[in-house]
Amino acid sequence: MTEAQNGECPPLLFFDTGVGGLSVLGETRHLLPKAPVIYAADYAGLPYGMKSEAELAARVPALLGRLVERYKPQLVTIACNTASTIALDHVRSALDIPVVGTVPAIKPASELTKTGVIGLLGTKATIRQPYVDRLAADFAADKMLLRHAAPELVYAAEAKLRGEQPDAGAIAAAMSGLVEQAGGAELDTVILACTHFPLLRDELAVAAGRPVQFIDGAKGIARRIAYLTGNRTWPDDEREGTFVTTGDIANIEPYRPAFARYGISRFEKL
Ligand code: DGL
């Protein structure tokens, strides 16, 4: 049966280790509020930022292959910088549908900085990627790019979306990890190069203690998804999205109100 005959519109699939991809989904919902959504979280694999390149290059395409087989999405968004900077090419060659990645927003940051000093906060794995070196060489060669790994912010964002108080010490340490580097006093722009981190934007702004602009790729990714699905007719009604986890489904309970804010109300185990 064709898509038109059965009246179904294939979903957009978002993929992250946990709640980080919601920062990308949120911007996409602004542009495409009626797009059906599957949100997949590899909680069994969190944190990706502490895994090896080889492990992620094998794990991410295999999982996405299973997810695509189950949900038959029209497009996959890897809403995770760590997975994208390591496994984007592997995923693209394994799937025959469009795959959108999330990579550090070095180009826009480079255009916005006035002082020429840019910070990049990411996971341990992301900040060491050759992909990041290439973006820096192509778009920020005349800028100072200070990198800092802040894996603890992943847990702080997870806590916040469970309705808990995020760890203020971890948030302060992430900012001082940038500012205290040589040249850090001139820092005016910070790239949030992990999709969990925009969920802590307000807390990071307070911890910065001075005007700093925070940049992430979510708006650009949403525009890219809208462009790639431009010919699509969406359902008339807004459908509730589905969340699927590789982890223990019972652990999802405290996150339900947060997911509801992003239109997700069905929960499944992969
Ligand atoms: N949200 C993911 C990212 O953008 C990483 C979180 C993790 O370490 O699992 O990099």
Side-chain angles (χ1 to χ4, degrees):
M1 198 187 288
T2 67
E3 185 192 316
Q5 280 167 331
N6 71 12
E8 282 300 313
C9 177
L12 303 178
L13 190 143
F14 292 81
F15 177 82
D16 184 37
T17 48
V19 291
L22 292 177
S23 61
V24 177
L25 172 60
E27 294 296 344
T28 308
R29 277 175 57 82
H30 283 142
L31 291 186
L32 304 171
K34 292 181 177 168
V37 165
I38 304 292
Y39 185 96
D42 184 13
Y43 270 113
L46 184 149
Y48 276 6
M50 298 300 188
K51 291 194 163 31
S52 71
E53 282 74 359
E55 200 174 350
L56 291 176
R59 183 180 183 96
V60 175
L63 263 176
L64 280 166
R66 285 174 63 199
L67 287 161
V68 166
E69 210 174 289
R70 189 197 277 198
Y71 295 105
K72 313 227 171 336
Q74 56 178 290
L75 180 144
V76 164
T77 302
I78 306 180
C80 171
N81 287 261
T82 314
S84 299
T85 54
I86 293 171
L88 190 54
D89 289 343
H90 302 275
V91 173
R92 283 194 170 134
S93 42
L95 300 181
D96 56 6
I97 55 172
V99 179
V100 177
T102 306
V103 300
I106 292 177
K107 185 168 185 258
S110 182
E111 288 161 1
L112 280 168
T113 180
K114 297 271 187 293
T115 61
V117 182
I118 303 169
L120 188 144
L121 286 178
T123 64
K124 273 202 163 87
T126 295
I127 70 161
R128 67 170 181 251
Q129 288 315 306
Y131 201 125
V132 176
D133 300 339
R134 284 197 297 276
L135 289 173
D138 289 350
F139 302 114
D142 57 343
K143 308 288 186 300
M144 182 181 266
L145 184 69
L146 308 175
R147 306 183 196 193
H148 180 66
E152 59 288 343
L153 291 186
V154 172
Y155 297 101
E158 291 286 328
K160 182 176 175 184
L161 270 73
R162 287 194 301 267
E164 298 163 18
Q165 200 60 37
D167 179 350
I171 294 164
M175 281 313 298
S176 51
L178 288 175
V179 174
E180 286 167 14
Q181 291 184 41
E186 296 292 309
L187 180 91
D188 69 349
T189 304
V190 173
I191 303 164
L192 301 176
C194 166
T195 53
H196 278 78
F197 300 175
L199 302 171
L200 297 168
R201 190 185 305 261
D202 294 346
E203 291 83 352
L204 286 162
V206 170
R210 64 197 170 95
V212 167
Q213 50 193 345
F214 293 94
I215 313 267
D216 66 77
K219 280 199 170 70
I221 295 163
R223 283 195 298 273
R224 180 83 187 135
I225 296 170
Y227 171 77
L228 290 172
T229 59
N231 295 328
R232 185 64 65 175
T233 308
W234 302 109
D236 290 336
D237 52 327
E238 279 184 40
R239 311 243 175 117
E240 287 302 308
T242 297
F243 169 92
V244 55
T245 179
T246 57
D248 186 345
I249 193 88
N251 293 343
I252 294 311
E253 213 44 50
Y255 293 96
R256 276 178 185 264
F259 278 111
R261 294 198 289 278
Y262 291 85
I264 291 172
S265 62
R266 279 193 297 262
F267 297 86
E268 297 178 0
K269 165 103 180 118
L270 184 66

